[in-house]
Amino acid sequence: MAAADPWDPASAPNPAGLLLGHLAATGTVTQEILDISKKSTPCFVNFSRLQQITNIQAEINQKNLEIELLKLEKDTADIVHPSFLAQKCQTLQSMNNHLEAVLKEKRSLRQRLLKPMCQENLPIEAAYHRYMVQLLELAVTFIEKLETHLETIRNIPHLNTNLKKMSKALAKMDILVTETEELAENILKWREQQKEISSCIPKILAEENYLQKYIITT
């Protein structure tokens, strides 16, 4: 059986209902306030939403964790991938075989190292002969230019001094060029003067002859 609503004045009379009826009759409390107060405000209405948000956040965290794991797997693929591991195992096995062969021939290698290597030919496999030819060509070229390289290295500490000398030489060359240009201009002027003088000499000689004839006749 449903309990009587104490906020409803029309329900079964009780002290709260009588008090509210008296307040409504006197106008102290209006019917609108009573209607509003009758509406139940759920205190836990957002709990389901909060639970949904929590579940979504947990799912997002799980996806982020999976993404990080995938990134880590991608970064370490060259370490943990079976194909790469097989190549590394093969390389390690070949190195192990080589070391075992060295250990087996340890006594002969020690005796070989104690002997001088003068006038002996080192055996080279046929697959590396063409590389040796290229290496010898490079060595010959390097030896030919070794003295030039050494001279360049020796001149590096004196580079600043040489640059200063070059700057002074260039300044002297500029001065000499200026003086040469002035000298050339003077020579051209002198030639022009000589031409003028040579053109005036016949006139002077003619005047002198005329004066001499005049003096003789007088």
Side-chain angles (χ1 to χ4, degrees):
M1 181 176 181
D5 189 357
W7 301 104
D8 188 4
S11 61
N14 52 31
L18 294 174
L19 178 61
L20 290 175
H22 178 69
L23 292 175
T26 58
T28 305
V29 178
T30 61
Q31 188 64 33
E32 295 177 355
I33 295 174
L34 292 176
D35 293 338
I36 293 172
S37 62
K38 287 196 298 183
K39 295 179 179 179
S40 61
T41 303
C43 299
F44 304 100
V45 69
N46 293 326
F47 281 179
S48 60
R49 296 180 182 176
L50 181 62
Q51 185 64 32
Q52 291 177 358
I53 293 171
T54 304
N55 295 334
I56 292 171
Q57 187 64 38
E59 187 177 356
I60 291 172
N61 293 333
Q62 181 66 26
K63 295 298 182 182
N64 290 332
L65 180 60
E66 292 177 0
I67 291 171
E68 292 295 330
L69 291 174
L70 291 174
K71 289 181 178 179
L72 181 62
E73 183 179 358
K74 181 180 178 181
D75 294 336
T76 58
D78 57 343
I79 300 174
V80 299
H81 199 274
S83 61
F84 293 103
L85 289 176
Q87 292 179 1
K88 291 183 178 181
C89 290
Q90 186 176 0
T91 304
L92 291 174
Q93 186 63 35
S94 62
M95 291 176 63
N96 188 21
N97 295 334
H98 179 71
L99 292 175
E100 287 179 358
V102 170
L103 291 175
K104 288 180 181 179
E105 302 293 335
K106 181 174 65 174
R107 182 176 297 178
S108 60
L109 289 173
R110 184 180 296 174
Q111 293 176 357
R112 179 68 179 274
L113 291 173
L114 292 174
K115 292 180 180 180
M117 300 295 293
C118 298
Q119 297 181 354
E120 291 189 7
N121 296 324
L122 296 176
I124 299 175
E125 296 181 7
Y128 302 106
H129 284 180
R130 60 193 183 101
Y131 300 111
M132 287 303 300
V133 173
Q134 296 176 0
L135 181 62
L136 289 174
E137 291 178 356
L138 294 175
V140 170
T141 306
F142 177 76
I143 292 170
E144 288 177 353
K145 297 181 179 179
L146 180 61
E147 190 63 30
T148 306
H149 295 329
L150 292 176
E151 188 65 25
T152 304
I153 293 171
R154 293 192 195 99
N155 291 330
I156 288 174
H158 308 288
L159 185 61
N160 293 328
T161 306
N162 294 332
L163 289 174
K164 290 179 181 179
K165 291 181 179 179
M166 289 177 65
S167 299
K168 291 179 180 179
L170 289 173
K172 289 180 180 179
M173 287 179 65
D174 291 335
I175 295 171
L176 291 174
V177 168
T178 304
E179 293 178 354
T180 304
E181 290 177 353
E182 293 178 356
L183 182 60
E185 290 178 357
N186 292 330
I187 291 171
L188 291 174
K189 291 178 181 180
W190 180 78
R191 285 183 178 178
E192 290 177 356
Q193 292 175 359
Q194 292 296 322
K195 288 180 180 179
E196 291 177 358
I197 292 170
S198 61
S199 62
C200 293
I201 287 173
K203 294 181 181 180
I204 295 170
L205 292 175
E207 290 177 356
E208 287 181 355
N209 291 330
Y210 178 76
L211 289 172
Q212 287 177 1
K213 289 179 182 179
Y214 179 76
I215 291 169
I216 292 170
T217 54
T218 56

